[in-house]
Every structure is written in structure tokens, then in C-alpha cells.
């Protein structure tokens, strides 16, 4: 399930914190901060979509992620590759490396990652 931009922004904060109260979420938003009711609505939507759960402490809820960040983005990256790159990870990698103007050091690090994956796939 795809999240809206506002939901993704809130999930980023929840993923970063692991477990977090509403007050702490509000404190972490950049200016201009959203209204408390806006964040409450987003949290309710994320609960309905089964992205967050909470533990009740008196009148306060401590929220935590139910979906791992890596799982969410991996699924959506797969759809992006399928829809825009003919289901070719190679075409995506080529586009990414050319369009992002990677530094020499970043390209070296990427090469090292590819070499390591190649070694794993030989086994």
C-alpha cells in the first residue's frame, strides 16, 4: 500500500525513533509545524493501514512501526523498476548512476558493493 507524502514524512519520524509519543513527533517536525490534530489524523490513517501500532500509557500513546522501512521502500522500488524501467534492475542502475552525478568515491563504493554481491551469487 502506498502512503501519501505526509504519511511517509510521519513514518520517517517513527522509523527514526522506533517508539515515540505524539509530543515528541510534534517536536521533531520542522517549522512550520503541523497542527496536533493533523498529526493525530495521520497517525489514525497509519493505524488503519497497519503501518503503526501503539501502547497506551495512561492517556498517552507510544507509537511504533509495524512495517520495516526497508520492506516498504523495497516493495515500492520494485514497482518503480517494473513500471518505468521495463522490469530491468540493470536499466534502473544505469539511469541512477548517470542521473545522480555520483562522485568518484561513491562510484567506488558502489563498485565494491556490486563486487561483493557478485561473489555471493557465485556460491
Amino acid at each position: 500500500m502506498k502512503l501519501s507524502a505526509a504519511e511517509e514524512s510521519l513514518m520517517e519520524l517513527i522509523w527514526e525513533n522506533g517508539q515515540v509519543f505524539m509530543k515528541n513527533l510534534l517536536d521533531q517536525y520542522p517549522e512550520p509545524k503541523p497542527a496536533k490534530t493533523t498529526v493525530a489524523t495521520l497517525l489514525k490513517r497509519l493505524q488503519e493501514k497497519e503501518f503503526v501500532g501503539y501502547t497506551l500509557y495512561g492517556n498517552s500513546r507510544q507509537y511504533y512501526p509495524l512495517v520495516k522501512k526497508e520492506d516498504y521502500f523495497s516493495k515500492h522500488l520494485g514497482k518503480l523498476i517494473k513500471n518505468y524501467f521495463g522490469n530491468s534492475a540493470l536499466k534502473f542502475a544505469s539511469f541512477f548512476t548517470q542521473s545522480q552525478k555520483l562522485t568518484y568515491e561513491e562510484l567506488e563504493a558502489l563498485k565494491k558493493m556490486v563486487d561483493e554481491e557478485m561473489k555471493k551469487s557465485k556460491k
Side-chain angles (χ1 to χ4, degrees), residues 77 80-81 84-85 87-102 107 110 114:
L77 181 59
L80 176 86
I81 291 170
Y84 295 99
F85 297 96
N87 211 24
S88 169
L90 184 59
K91 287 180 184 176
F92 170 75
S94 174
F95 171 81
F96 176 77
T97 55
Q98 292 172 11
S99 69
Q100 294 303 303
K101 309 240 186 305
L102 300 175
L107 288 168
L110 184 58
V114 169

Side-chain angles (χ1 to χ4, degrees), residues 65-81:
L66 295 174
V67 174
K68 292 180 184 175
K69 181 178 181 176
E70 296 79 16
D71 293 344
Y72 175 73
F73 285 105
S74 177
K75 180 178 178 182
H76 290 287
L77 181 59
K79 285 182 182 178
L80 176 86
I81 291 170

Side-chain angles (χ1 to χ4, degrees), residues 2-14:
K2 179 79 172 125
L3 298 178
S4 69
E7 291 167 341
E8 275 187 13
S9 294
L10 181 54
M11 277 306 300
E12 280 291 338
L13 295 175
I14 295 169

